Amino acid sequence: QVQLQESGPGLVKPSETLSLTCTVSGGSISSYYWSWIRQPPEKGLEWIGYISYSGSTNYNPSLKSRVTISIDTSKNQFSLKLNSVTAADTALYYCARETTSVRGVRLLDYWGQGTLVIVSS
Amino acid sequence: DIQMTQSPSSLSASVGDRVTITCRASQSITKYLNWYQQKPGKAANLLIFAASSLLSGVPSRFSGSGSGTDFTLTISSLQPEDFATYYCQQTYSTPWTFGQGTKVEIK
């Protein structure tokens, strides 16, 4: 059973960089895409971006100037960096595995439990 | 970006009720539509992919339909464990986008 676990600081100061890591267990990080999604308190889901096992990335244009997603296949981990954070970046951050269904549709089939990041001084 | 609009935003229903949630895309996304269930404090769980394909292990009371711009998630007989928030998601083109969610509450 594939499991994902987010880790990183729960509190980040405004203007600093948010850094999170997702560790994948129960399966290889190879051959899939790996996404970050966030959910501000009492709000809906926002896709941040994904990285492939080979390192190609695709970011949400709304965050593109501030986001970097990287992957370390030797550790079965991928990471998120979001710089110049503000209070608006306070959210639950989820990592997830993205795959392609037999019908050719991309979907998020395994998710981490999420980690709350608060941006505050 | 493709905008996804769900309706209603919330609904109250009783156990055994038939529940229908709709999702409309701002442009055609053909079949590239997924449905997720999220319970408080938990990650979202995939229920239906490609508009109408039920993920293995998901109860058959859940069904999805639609194509193009209009989609529907139906729960044929609501069970206590189904009280949750439901999100649609398009993966037709990036950035992937979600609907704002439909909260299903106990009547």
Side-chain angles (χ1 to χ4, degrees), chain A residues 37 39 43-47 50 58 60-61 94 98 101 103-109 111-113, chain B residues 1 31-34 36 38 41-44 46 49-50 52-53 87 89 91 94-96 98 100:
Chain A
I37 302 102
Q39 185 171 33
K43 292 190 177 179
L45 300 164
E46 179 183 32
W47 176 77
Y50 66 62
N58 192 317
N60 192 322
Y94 295 100
E98 184 174 311
S101 73
R103 294 184 61 190
V105 173
R106 298 274 281 271
L107 53 88
L108 300 164
D109 60 349
W111 295 58
Q113 287 303 298
Chain B
D1 298 6
K31 63 182 178 181
Y32 292 82
L33 190 282
N34 305 315
Y36 298 86
Q38 187 180 39
K42 302 291 187 181
L46 179 68
F49 61 95
S52 60
S53 296
Y87 293 93
Q89 178 211 21
T91 55
T94 58
W96 307 149
F98 295 87
Q100 81 278 17

Side-chain angles (χ1 to χ4, degrees), chain A residues 47-107:
Chain A
W47 176 77
I48 299 170
Y50 66 62
I51 189 165
S52 73
Y53 65 95
S54 61
S56 62
T57 55
N58 192 317
Y59 301 137
N60 192 322
S62 68
L63 298 168
K64 187 174 183 177
S65 63
R66 299 193 291 131
V67 169
T68 302
I69 298 176
S70 58
I71 193 165
D72 186 336
T73 54
S74 68
K75 295 181 178 179
N76 248 30
Q77 294 177 333
F78 63 107
S79 299
L80 169 71
K81 289 189 186 301
L82 181 66
N83 58 36
S84 305
V85 297
T86 70
D89 295 310
T90 292
L92 261 172
Y93 285 77
Y94 295 100
C95 58
R97 190 181 82 168
E98 184 174 311
T99 190
T100 302
S101 73
V102 293
R103 294 184 61 190
V105 173
R106 298 274 281 271
L107 53 88

Side-chain angles (χ1 to χ4, degrees), chain B residues 15-102:
Chain B
V15 172
D17 283 353
R18 181 182 182 89
V19 168
T20 299
I21 298 168
T22 63
C23 178
R24 175 165 288 177
S26 59
Q27 66 180 75
S28 177
I29 57 171
T30 64
K31 63 182 178 181
Y32 292 82
L33 190 282
N34 305 315
W35 288 100
Y36 298 86
Q37 176 194 67
Q38 187 180 39
K39 296 183 178 178
K42 302 291 187 181
N45 288 317
L46 179 68
L47 297 175
I48 288 169
F49 61 95
S52 60
S53 296
L54 196 67
L55 186 71
S56 176
V58 173
S60 59
R61 62 180 179 273
F62 290 93
S63 64
S65 65
S67 67
T69 60
D70 294 313
F71 301 87
T72 300
L73 172 69
T74 299
I75 308 172
S76 60
S77 177
L78 198 65
Q79 297 302 300
E81 59 268 30
D82 301 336
F83 292 95
T85 300
Y86 294 84
Y87 293 93
C88 60
Q89 178 211 21
Q90 67 81 21
T91 55
Y92 180 80
S93 65
T94 58
W96 307 149
T97 47
F98 295 87
Q100 81 278 17
T102 296

